[in-house]
Amino acid sequence: MTVAAQMLDTYPKDLGGIDREKLRTCIDACTECAQACTACGDACLSEDMVAQLTKCIRTCADCADVCDTTGRVLSRHTGYDANVTRAVLEACAAACTACGDECEQHASMHEHCRVCADACRRCEQACRDLIAGLG
């Protein structure tokens, strides 16, 4: 059981009809993606062809920040605002799409980009699944 699942299980109030499993999946995917993007951007900086990876590094940094923020927003339930949550999830899905697309371009040469692209795709899907459940 992840920490996100444990925290959701201990929340003292109702989550207002949000699917707990989709919420947990999304929080965990955001955390995982933020870590993958941070590590991928750093690995890109260590590559001999770093100049050709400038856009990838920037995209990874942006995606890591957005995913980190999204995971934190999703972890707060008191005073929940569906409009803010939806906007943050849309931004996260967009950042994950952009980063996943960029990393896929380098995945055949850099394994860290393949791993990152996969994490981005999982996070994007988790965000979209949660959005669909918000109504």
Side-chain angles (χ1 to χ4, degrees):
M1 179 180 279
T2 67
V3 171
Q6 292 174 32
M7 293 307 293
L8 286 169
D9 286 347
T10 63
Y11 187 69
K13 302 272 184 183
D14 179 59
L15 292 176
I18 295 177
D19 183 311
R20 279 182 188 261
E21 187 56 25
K22 286 183 181 179
L23 180 59
R24 185 215 44 88
T25 297
C26 195
I27 293 169
D28 287 340
C30 287
T31 302
E32 178 183 87
C33 193
Q35 190 281 325
C37 290
T38 299
C40 185
D42 181 68
C44 286
L45 288 169
S46 294
E47 293 289 352
D48 292 336
M49 58 181 291
V50 68
Q52 290 89 351
L53 296 169
T54 303
K55 184 176 180 188
C56 191
I57 294 164
R58 168 60 191 263
T59 307
C60 282
D62 288 347
C63 191
D65 287 346
V66 173
C67 288
D68 183 54
T69 298
T70 302
R72 290 194 326 265
V73 168
L74 294 177
S75 296
R76 295 188 290 264
H77 313 291
T78 305
Y80 169 76
D81 184 331
N83 292 325
V84 170
T85 299
R86 187 176 289 105
V88 170
L89 287 166
E90 289 285 356
C92 191
C96 287
T97 299
C99 191
D101 290 350
E102 181 63 28
C103 281
E104 278 181 2
Q105 293 180 29
H106 309 287
S108 63
M109 291 182 63
H110 307 292
E111 183 67 9
H112 53 84
C113 286
R114 185 199 59 75
V115 172
C116 187
D118 289 347
C120 288
R121 299 298 182 219
R122 284 190 301 275
C123 189
E124 176 189 2
Q125 187 60 55
C127 288
R128 297 207 184 284
D129 289 347
L130 188 56
I131 291 167
L134 294 178

